[in-house]
Amino acid sequence: MERLLGRCEILQRKMPKKQMIGHIGIDYGSKLAGTTAICFADSNNKISIGQSANKQDADRFIIDFCQSHKPSSVYIDAPLSLPAVYKNPAVEESNFFYRQADIEARAMSPLFLGGLTARAMKLNRDLKSLPFYEVYPKLLVTTLDLKVFYKKDITHFLEGLFQKIHLPNLPQCDNWHQVDALLAFISGIRHVNKQHISIGTPSEGVIFA
């Protein structure tokens, strides 16, 4: 399968501009580290993965991609909200560090992630015409009972994943950022088909897997 890697303009050259596609999955990384990956399927159901380049603005990479390809929705591996106490300081027995979803998923605190959380929330606002859903690849891995090779061996992990999730093609993943983007995309498939699980509360923040 043809791989789509590197700069946003490479992605745009491989797909016609303004071609509408379905949902996308994003593994969201540091702004300039080249660790943000987008997984998507084109109109022929071919699944591809693109990744930002080192020193390339990851947020601009995502915005340009969404404006060019018009996805139906975004499933992103990043917090999209803060604990409820920051909306209402009078909330009793409030947790200043974790949302209920973070506790259930055993995920990092949105506050610990700091700038990444702020960037994700701003990205959600900047692309407000698109529905954003928060996902957590590790939660999907746990749900599918695939923890053995996760973050250890990509080849064996993908073999196990594709035994449980049937996809129209098998995209090649060269690193774990691309694997996590694929997992975010699969969480989107599960959500669209109402096969997902969700944790947390709508008033504070929900994670889908």
Side-chain angles (χ1 to χ4, degrees), residues 10-156:
I10 293 177
L11 284 173
Q12 293 174 345
R13 189 165 64 243
K14 297 296 184 182
M15 287 182 63
K17 288 187 177 182
K18 299 185 179 179
Q19 177 178 352
M20 295 185 66
I21 59 178
H23 72 273
I24 61 174
I26 298 177
D27 181 47
Y28 197 48
S30 299
K31 191 166 187 177
L32 299 174
T35 55
T36 292
I38 301 175
C39 182
F40 60 97
D42 63 20
S43 57
N44 295 316
N45 283 329
K46 178 183 177 183
I47 299 174
S48 302
I49 300 173
Q51 185 168 339
S52 61
N54 186 38
K55 301 188 183 305
Q56 179 185 13
D57 186 324
D59 299 336
R60 188 74 256 166
F61 169 71
I62 293 170
I63 290 171
D64 287 348
F65 181 92
C66 290
Q67 290 177 342
S68 294
H69 303 304
K70 310 295 183 186
S72 59
S73 52
V74 175
Y75 291 81
I76 186 169
D77 175 20
L80 294 173
S81 61
L82 297 175
V85 66
Y86 294 100
K87 293 181 181 178
N88 180 9
V91 174
E92 293 184 4
E93 299 182 3
S94 56
N95 191 320
F96 280 77
F97 298 97
Y98 295 94
R99 303 166 299 171
Q100 184 60 34
D102 304 317
I103 294 171
E104 293 181 36
R106 298 184 179 181
M108 289 185 186
S109 163
L111 301 174
F112 178 82
L113 293 170
L116 184 139
T117 299
R119 287 172 45 227
M121 293 174 67
K122 182 178 185 299
L123 191 66
N124 187 7
R125 187 192 68 179
D126 291 345
L127 293 171
K128 59 186 177 182
S129 63
L130 282 175
F132 268 63
Y133 300 96
E134 182 178 339
V135 298
Y136 184 41
K138 191 174 180 180
L139 178 61
L140 179 60
V141 168
T142 301
T143 302
L144 297 177
D145 192 23
L146 290 170
K147 293 190 291 184
V148 175
F149 293 111
Y150 185 58
K151 297 298 172 87
K152 297 174 184 175
D153 186 311
I154 289 179
T155 300
H156 285 93

Side-chain angles (χ1 to χ4, degrees), residues 129-191:
S129 63
L130 282 175
F132 268 63
Y133 300 96
E134 182 178 339
V135 298
Y136 184 41
K138 191 174 180 180
L139 178 61
L140 179 60
V141 168
T142 301
T143 302
L144 297 177
D145 192 23
L146 290 170
K147 293 190 291 184
V148 175
F149 293 111
Y150 185 58
K151 297 298 172 87
K152 297 174 184 175
D153 186 311
I154 289 179
T155 300
H156 285 93
F157 175 78
L158 292 178
E159 287 175 355
L161 175 65
F162 295 138
Q163 286 176 4
K164 298 196 175 188
I165 302 293
H166 299 289
L167 297 172
N169 68 283
L170 310 182
Q172 180 167 335
C173 297
D174 293 333
N175 55 56
W176 287 107
H177 303 297
Q178 294 177 20
V179 172
D180 281 349
L182 174 62
L183 290 170
F185 180 79
I186 291 171
S187 292
I189 293 175
R190 287 165 56 87
H191 183 227

